[in-house]
Amino acid sequence: MSDNITKKIMLYFPECETESPIVYHLVKDYDLMINIFRAKVTPEEEGYLVLDITGSDGNIHQATEWLQSLGIIVNETDKGVKWDQNRCVQCGSCVPHCPTGALSIPDRSTMEIRFESNKCIECLSCIKVCPYEAVTSIF
Amino acid sequence: MKTVAEINEKISSGRAVVLTAEEVIDYVDKKGLEQAAKEVDVVTTATFGPMCSSGCFLNFGHSKPKIRITEAWLDDVSAYSGIAAVDLYLGATQLRHNDPANLDYPGDFRFGGGHVMEKLIAGKEVQLFALSYGTDDYPGRELRTRFTIDDLNQAVMVNPRNCYQNYNVAINASDKPIYTYLGYLKPHMKNCGYSSAGQLSPLLNDPFYRTIGVGTRVWLAGAQGHVYSEGTQHSPTCERGVLGVPSEGAGTLALTADMKKMNPEFVRGVSLKGYGVSLSLGVGIPIPILDEDMLKQTTIRDRDIKAQVIDYSTDYPQRTGKVLGTVNYEELKSGTIELNGQKVETGSLSSYAGARKIAAILQEEIRSGKFLLSQPISPLPFEQSMKPMKEIG
């Protein structure tokens, strides 16, 4: 298990791929641990799945190829929740509502806001409380 | 003792010593009050946060044929037209036409007067739709056009209440979440909302209004404007603590400046879920260091500025006067306060980082001779409090 890696990925289903039990196959066929943050998978519509996958590099690579063969777009860089530094006024009203510390104020003398997307579990609490639409969700 | 005129002379000749209200604290610690008062000429203060009592007068120039506007909407936000023909006043908290408000609670309040002002200052195009009943000399009855701020003859921000001297800390002791102008408050006092720049805030550095009065030149979102009156609800008669700094809302300022000279970074529309729309503004005010006493006032620190924690689920709306506790801004800025043995997470609506930026910009503008200080033409009232509404029946 020590050579396992964890990746946060976003799956985009351009059309209805919801017939296939994708998560089951990721676990069963590729020996991956799955932690789903957020899903919007509706029949007849495009769908999204944001999740952490943990496993060996080789298995993750093969699983990614299998997902792509189904026409699913695997995005390892884009995030479902985006923080726009230019729209943020650094007020801090989001910070007490972020459960993971993805939004934080590391230096209490300057009171500037930091967003660490790798800590973000896409709970969307910040979107509700940001007065400036500095945080948005792509779905 | 120095006068404003002497300080302005030093500014014009590039010799003025200007510090921010944050820098001055350590400077006086190091040099001592007496020596520092001889050296320091100006201390810059600033704040950047929601200021609901804000708005602007716009003059459009005359259409052909002329119209005497009686109803008007800017990007579907209603503007007041009970003034001359093509003058309008747009208020920051006005909702967009057809906004469902809180019908689908909590409402999103995505767009309103504050957002229109943000768009205008950012140079974006805004739609004007206007109606009238028509007269012999103003026959126009309907008008729909698009304009930017450059097309307007005048765009003057006139804000009846800005720069609250201090403010409440809002908390929710009930068992349901509530939505307030100090943010979303979880039940059972899990978090609280505050809004002040604390040690950088203008009126906390001049708590007795010695230098900030009617006529004081201010930096309003990048434009040079001035204080035109005390603000609405200006209530200086209140509880005061260290150096006479109020621990309640206390004083307010009414500000005006030319919107055409403003920087869009410091004029931002605000959407507060479940509450409404507003406008966030950046304000900077220089304090002339006339003597040691004035310098001492500007050394106020976060830890010496107190604020009252009020329950916004009952005591605030019902005006019971009950205060749950008192905290200081150092505690508030740390991220957690302790209230009755319970840890409460804090969130600010006012941007301290923004206030620091403004205080530094103003410092630079004064150092470079671009911004001169002004002597107030009359002081702000120092003894006055607000009565509750008289309700009959």
Side-chain angles (χ1 to χ4, degrees):
Chain A
M1 288 299 277
S2 61
D3 53 0
N4 275 356
I5 53 167
T6 298
K7 271 189 179 170
K8 185 178 176 184
I9 60 170
M10 182 163 64
L11 305 182
Y12 169 65
F13 307 78
E15 61 223 32
C16 184
E17 270 301 338
T18 51
E19 298 304 302
S20 171
I22 283 162
V23 173
Y24 169 85
H25 287 293
L26 289 176
V27 175
K28 189 96 175 139
D29 306 346
Y30 299 98
D31 195 26
L32 298 179
M33 273 194 285
I34 303 295
N35 185 10
I36 297 176
F37 295 127
R38 198 153 64 106
K40 183 185 176 216
V41 186
T42 323
E44 309 295 325
E45 284 180 32
E46 61 181 8
Y48 293 88
L49 196 60
V50 179
L51 64 165
D52 259 354
I53 49 175
T54 304
S56 74
D57 206 3
N59 282 350
I60 288 177
H61 186 71
Q62 284 179 4
T64 304
E65 284 186 342
W66 169 73
L67 287 166
Q68 286 165 338
S69 74
L70 297 174
I72 297 167
I73 293 167
V74 182
N75 193 327
E76 292 182 23
T77 51
D78 219 357
K79 302 288 180 262
V81 169
K82 291 181 180 178
W83 175 67
D84 181 344
Q85 192 166 357
N86 297 321
R87 285 207 64 79
C88 175
V89 307
Q90 319 273 334
C91 71
S93 61
C94 55
V95 173
H97 299 284
C98 178
T100 62
L103 282 156
S104 66
I105 301 174
D107 179 352
R108 294 275 162 182
S109 63
T110 64
M111 295 297 281
E112 283 168 9
I113 310 294
R114 181 171 65 184
F115 177 65
E116 295 165 280
S117 63
N118 60 325
K119 289 187 182 172
C120 173
I121 56 167
E122 307 207 359
C123 70
L124 312 185
S125 297
C126 52
I127 292 178
K128 190 164 64 172
V129 299
C130 178
Y132 304 96
E133 282 188 15
V135 219
T136 50
S137 164
I138 69 161
F139 66 96
Chain B
M1 283 292 285
K2 285 179 230 167
T3 65
V4 170
E6 286 165 351
I7 291 170
N8 275 340
E9 234 168 85
K10 287 179 85 173
I11 293 169
S12 298
S13 60
R15 292 179 299 119
V17 176
V18 189
L19 297 178
T20 70
E22 208 179 56
E23 293 168 343
V24 77
I25 298 169
D26 289 341
Y27 194 83
V28 171
D29 267 355
K30 200 172 67 191
K31 294 264 180 163
L33 193 67
E34 196 183 340
Q35 183 56 30
K38 288 189 187 120
E39 294 174 19
V40 182
D41 300 302
V42 184
V43 169
T44 60
T45 66
T47 185
F48 182 24
M51 302 192 193
C52 293
S53 273
S54 297
C56 56
F57 284 101
L58 307 176
N59 176 279
F60 286 84
H62 283 291
S63 57
K64 194 174 177 178
K66 285 185 176 179
I67 183 170
R68 186 185 168 288
I69 296 173
T70 52
E71 287 175 280
W73 294 263
L74 300 169
D75 273 354
D76 295 336
V77 178
S78 174
Y80 180 74
S81 55
I83 37 184
V86 285
D87 283 346
L88 296 177
Y89 183 79
L90 173 69
T93 68
Q94 191 72 44
L95 297 184
R96 184 163 49 184
H97 183 68
N98 279 339
D99 190 299
N102 262 341
L103 285 175
D104 185 12
Y105 178 85
D108 282 334
F109 300 100
R110 288 194 182 280
F111 190 90
H115 298 85
V116 177
M117 289 158 80
E118 176 186 328
K119 274 181 79 174
L120 280 174
I121 288 161
K124 293 179 179 158
E125 207 169 57
V126 169
Q127 177 191 257
L128 164 69
F129 176 59
L131 297 172
S132 174
Y133 50 80
T135 69
D136 290 336
D137 42 358
Y138 292 93
R141 291 189 174 213
E142 189 173 322
L143 181 74
R144 192 183 293 272
T145 183
R146 292 189 310 279
F147 68 96
T148 68
I149 198 166
D150 296 336
D151 301 318
L152 296 173
N153 289 321
Q154 287 141 313
V156 185
M157 206 180 264
V158 179
N159 304 335
R161 190 192 331 143
N162 286 174
C163 292
Y164 240 116
Q165 194 159 11
N166 197 346
Y167 216 80
N168 295 338
V169 179
I171 201 163
N172 173 16
S174 79
D175 55 9
K176 291 191 186 70
I178 61 169
Y179 296 87
T180 74
Y181 61 76
L182 282 165
Y184 169 64
L185 301 172
K186 299 177 211 177
H188 306 298
M189 306 204 295
K190 287 277 179 280
N191 71 306
C192 65
Y194 69 97
S195 188
S196 169
Q199 63 196 14
L200 270 177
S201 192
L203 291 178
L204 293 175
N205 283 278
D206 185 9
F208 300 112
Y209 327 123
R210 261 191 78 196
T211 69
I212 301 173
V214 177
T216 293
R217 183 172 295 126
V218 302
W219 186 101
L220 182 53
Q224 291 191 17
H226 61 271
V227 177
Y228 71 82
S229 160
E230 84 269 19
T232 52
Q233 292 184 26
H234 176 80
S235 317
T237 305
C238 67
E239 193 182 292
R240 288 169 181 262
V242 176
L243 292 175
V245 165
S247 50
E248 304 170 56
T252 65
L253 300 175
L255 303 180
T256 181
D258 182 357
M259 277 168 83
K260 292 191 177 205
K261 299 195 173 100
M262 287 184 186
N263 175 343
E265 185 183 347
F266 302 106
V267 183
R268 300 289 306 277
V270 169
S271 300
L272 291 160
K273 199 176 179 71
Y275 178 79
V277 292
S278 185
L279 180 74
S280 266
L281 278 176
V283 181
I285 304 185
I287 293 179
I289 302 305
L290 307 172
D291 52 31
E292 283 176 32
D293 281 349
M294 202 59 241
L295 181 65
K296 196 170 165 61
Q297 294 291 359
T298 65
T299 61
I300 191 76
R301 297 164 195 263
D302 282 332
R303 67 167 180 253
D304 294 324
I305 306 166
K306 302 261 192 295
Q308 297 179 331
V309 185
I310 311 277
D311 183 357
Y312 270 54
S313 71
T314 53
D315 299 322
Y316 180 83
Q318 300 306 329
R319 230 189 63 223
T320 68
K322 189 176 167 193
V323 176
L324 297 184
T326 301
V327 290
N328 69 53
Y329 279 94
E330 189 172 68
E331 292 167 323
L332 286 164
K333 281 167 68 181
S334 76
T336 40
I337 55 167
E338 199 162 300
L339 197 70
N340 311 328
Q342 187 184 324
K343 283 217 178 319
V344 182
E345 286 193 82
T346 66
S348 173
L349 259 292
S350 173
S351 170
Y352 190 81
R356 288 181 93 232
K357 193 170 181 177
I358 293 162
I361 292 171
L362 180 57
Q363 179 182 36
E364 192 41 48
E365 287 186 9
I366 296 169
R367 278 178 180 164
S368 64
K370 272 202 325 203
F371 193 109
L372 291 171
L373 277 50
S374 68
Q375 181 77 38
I377 53 172
S378 66
L380 300 173
F382 188 67
E383 278 187 14
Q384 156 175 315
S385 57
M386 293 292 124
K387 300 191 294 283
M389 185 190 283
K390 180 180 177 182
E391 297 176 86
I392 297 172

